[in-house]
Amino acid sequence: MDRQTQMVAELDGSVMKCIRDQNGNHVIQKCIECVPGDRIKFVTSAFYGQVVALSTHPYGCRVIQVKNYSLFTF
């Protein structure tokens, strides 16, 4: 396991806390942007079922926006 994957794996179990945090949401955004999707499945699965609530949250909306952008970027 490379260092990037190890660092991201430390977020497992704290994703929602980070998404709702003023600084932590930036960390989650960068994970979505920079880490291959197969290594961060736990990140996206953490907010399934909560997309509407996060979309209206001041910090959560940023994470949802970045995730949506990453899905539709070719």
Side-chain angles (χ1 to χ4, degrees):
M1 185 182 304
D2 64 29
R3 284 186 175 187
Q4 183 183 53
T5 303
Q6 287 176 328
M7 288 178 63
V8 171
E10 290 185 29
L11 295 170
D12 199 2
S14 300
V15 173
M16 291 305 295
K17 180 179 178 181
C18 289
I19 288 174
R20 291 187 175 110
D21 183 77
Q22 182 178 9
N23 299 306
N25 81 87
H26 294 284
V27 173
I28 300 298
Q29 288 179 58
K30 283 298 175 186
C31 289
I32 292 169
E33 292 173 347
C34 302
V35 180
D38 62 325
R39 296 184 195 164
I40 59 165
K41 288 181 182 178
F42 71 91
V43 172
T44 53
S45 64
F47 57 79
Y48 284 151
Q50 301 183 64
V51 174
V52 173
L54 290 174
S55 295
T56 59
H57 186 274
Y59 308 128
C61 67
R62 299 173 188 174
V63 175
I64 299 300
Q65 182 180 15
V66 169
K67 182 58 184 169
N68 284 340
Y69 181 77
S70 73
L71 290 173
F72 298 110
T73 303
F74 300 100

